[in-house]
Amino acid sequence: MEKKRILTGDRPTGKLHIGHLLGSLSNRVKLQYEYDSFIEIANIQALSDNFNNPSKVKDGIIELLCDYYAVGIDFDKANIFIQSEVPQIHEIFIYLANFATVQQIQHNPTIKTEMAQNRYEASTPLGFFFYPIHQAADIFSVNADLVPVGKDQLPMIEDARELGRRFNKTYGVDILGQPEALLGTKINVPGIDGAEKMGKSLNNCIYLSDSQEELKKKVFKVYTDPTRIHADDPGQVEGNVAFTYLDLFSDESQKEEIEDMKRRYREGTIKDIEVKGKLFEVMDVVLKPIRDRRKEAEEMKDELVKKALNSSRVVSSIARETADEMKKAMKIEF
Ligand code: TRP
């Protein structure tokens, strides 16, 4: 039996952090052997709200490639491709665009939120506005069965399914599938400052590319219990980022020790610095191999780009077939 196809994408706008690692990257590494896997570096989508900063998007591609390599994505197994190198996606986009309405996009909850954030009001750039259709084209370019994404992307997949159904129905064909979202287990990774989410603009991230010294510095700055002044004050474990990270990064063999530390923290018989020392040790076990591989990746940037370009060619030829079938349905093949 043929393996099912999965497709995910990232906007190349910066380096990845431990929230990405726990939230989606680890999952991709697991899925790459089970499925026929496509990972898109969505540089055209990234330009839709960074068109005046192309260097950021260009540099972002290299950062993504290094991060992928570092976490163990297998470049010979997964098809890592660059969106702008698969122009058939734009072609599929324009064919799909006949089936999308302004109202439908306006009602897309993700677009609504982003419109409010960007305060575009009456001057919304079309490049931004139509990106749900373009993202549907990403998915249909390889006719993906599954799309591993976070919850915020569900409306995009719903739109893609709708466009696929309308296209098929109009021409009486069965060309575009019904992609399904694959929601990972929700893992909330707070920022080192205690903010609910880790985010580049919040300046509260631990990056996969951080050196050991940077990691140590950040770990010792992690938000704990601000009301605890002395080591013998009883402390709070809930909402304490040091313990949240300990839970996320420790393995089974360390659980007992960590539970004991939590007990002592609540009692006021352990110092913050001791907890953070342990945290650094636990996180470094996970992050060191990633850091080492990232160093390796930096030495082979050209090779990684070359592999991504080769995969882009593979994806191009698959997308060509999809686009040709669509053309045939629309009676524009000559
Ligand atoms: N919009 C996605 C994000 O911001 C990235 C993305 C682009 C994507 N194309 C995709 C995700 C196709 C899934 C499938 O995270």
Side-chain angles (χ1 to χ4, degrees):
M1 220 176 77
E2 245 188 69
K3 282 188 183 173
K4 283 197 174 179
R5 279 188 184 161
I6 62 174
L7 178 135
T8 50
D10 291 305
R11 294 179 179 207
T13 51
K15 39 198 186 171
L16 302 181
H17 54 64
I18 57 170
H20 298 116
L21 174 70
L22 301 176
S24 66
L25 296 171
S26 317
N27 213 24
R28 283 190 204 169
V29 175
K30 262 186 260 153
L31 295 172
Q32 66 185 342
Y33 299 107
E34 222 172 297
Y35 294 95
D36 208 0
S37 154
F38 295 84
I39 301 175
E40 177 189 68
I41 298 183
N43 60 336
I44 301 290
Q45 188 179 111
L47 279 170
S48 74
D49 56 1
N50 291 284
F51 54 82
N52 46 14
N53 196 355
S55 305
K56 171 174 160 191
V57 176
K58 180 174 189 255
D59 296 344
I61 295 178
I62 305 292
E63 298 288 353
L64 270 184
L65 289 171
C66 290
D67 284 330
Y68 290 163
Y69 184 87
V71 298
I73 292 176
D74 183 340
F75 279 63
D76 297 317
K77 198 86 197 160
N79 299 283
I80 297 164
F81 69 101
I82 301 173
Q83 191 178 31
S84 59
E85 293 302 300
V86 184
Q88 292 80 5
I89 290 172
H90 314 325
E91 184 182 339
I92 295 171
F93 154 77
I94 201 72
Y95 302 155
L96 291 173
N98 288 335
F99 298 91
T101 66
V102 170
Q103 287 89 332
Q104 179 194 359
I105 297 180
Q106 271 170 344
H107 288 135
N108 177 312
T110 307
I111 290 292
K112 264 193 190 167
T113 314
E114 289 173 350
M115 290 263 253
Q117 278 167 357
N118 297 334
R119 269 177 264 158
Y120 285 137
E121 289 162 14
S123 49
T124 307
L126 278 177
F128 161 80
F129 192 71
F130 63 47
Y131 97 76
I133 314 172
H134 202 251
Q135 186 162 328
D138 293 338
I139 296 170
F140 288 128
S141 68
V142 300
N143 238 329
D145 301 292
L146 293 169
V147 187
V149 281
K151 234 178 161 174
D152 65 305
Q153 293 291 307
L154 287 179
M156 299 296 164
I157 304 197
E158 205 33 67
D159 278 353
R161 291 165 64 92
E162 183 66 40
L163 292 173
R165 278 194 298 268
R166 288 185 196 156
F167 184 95
N168 286 351
K169 185 153 177 275
T170 304
Y171 302 117
V173 292
D174 188 18
I175 296 170
L176 305 177
Q178 286 286 290
E180 279 179 45
L182 188 66
L183 280 177
T185 34
K186 176 104 188 80
I187 298 177
N188 247 337
V189 183
I192 58 169
D193 58 353
E196 202 186 329
K197 270 191 88 170
M198 197 167 264
K200 200 173 167 204
S201 54
L202 300 170
N203 204 6
N204 63 1
C205 304
I206 294 179
Y207 292 103
L208 302 180
S209 52
D210 281 347
S211 67
Q212 193 173 42
E213 295 69 47
E214 279 166 314
L215 174 65
K216 193 173 235 166
K217 244 193 355 227
K218 288 180 180 178
V219 162
F220 280 90
K221 272 204 317 215
V222 154
Y223 177 92
T224 54
D225 175 352
T227 63
R228 190 175 190 241
I229 317 279
H230 307 290
D232 53 2
D233 292 341
Q236 178 123 0
V237 167
E238 288 67 34
N240 183 320
V241 176
F243 284 106
T244 309
Y245 288 178
L246 273 171
D247 284 338
L248 290 171
F249 280 87
S250 54
D251 62 27
E252 274 315 307
S253 71
Q254 297 161 315
K255 292 286 179 229
E256 209 171 301
E257 188 186 348
I258 289 164
E259 286 311 309
D260 192 53
M261 289 178 105
K262 287 182 186 169
R263 187 186 52 75
R264 288 166 58 207
Y265 199 84
R266 291 194 177 100
E267 272 176 14
T269 56
I270 187 171
K271 291 181 183 155
D272 265 44
I273 198 159
E274 208 177 317
V275 176
K276 288 178 171 174
K278 181 69 192 173
L279 178 61
F280 171 68
E281 190 190 306
V282 165
M283 287 184 82
D284 201 45
V285 167
V286 177
L287 296 175
K288 183 178 187 308
I290 294 178
R291 211 164 47 223
D292 291 348
R293 278 182 63 87
R294 209 181 186 285
K295 279 247 162 60
E296 221 180 282
E298 279 165 20
E299 297 302 312
M300 46 193 277
K301 280 180 191 165
D302 292 348
E303 194 185 327
L304 296 182
V305 171
K306 208 163 131 207
K307 281 185 193 266
L309 292 178
N310 281 339
S311 293
S312 302
R313 248 162 254 136
V314 172
V315 176
S316 255
S317 68
I318 299 173
R320 183 69 260 146
E321 283 174 36
T322 312
D324 281 343
E325 281 186 71
M326 292 174 85
K327 284 178 81 173
K328 202 162 157 195
M330 295 180 293
K331 305 199 186 302
I332 52 168
E333 43 127 38
F334 297 98

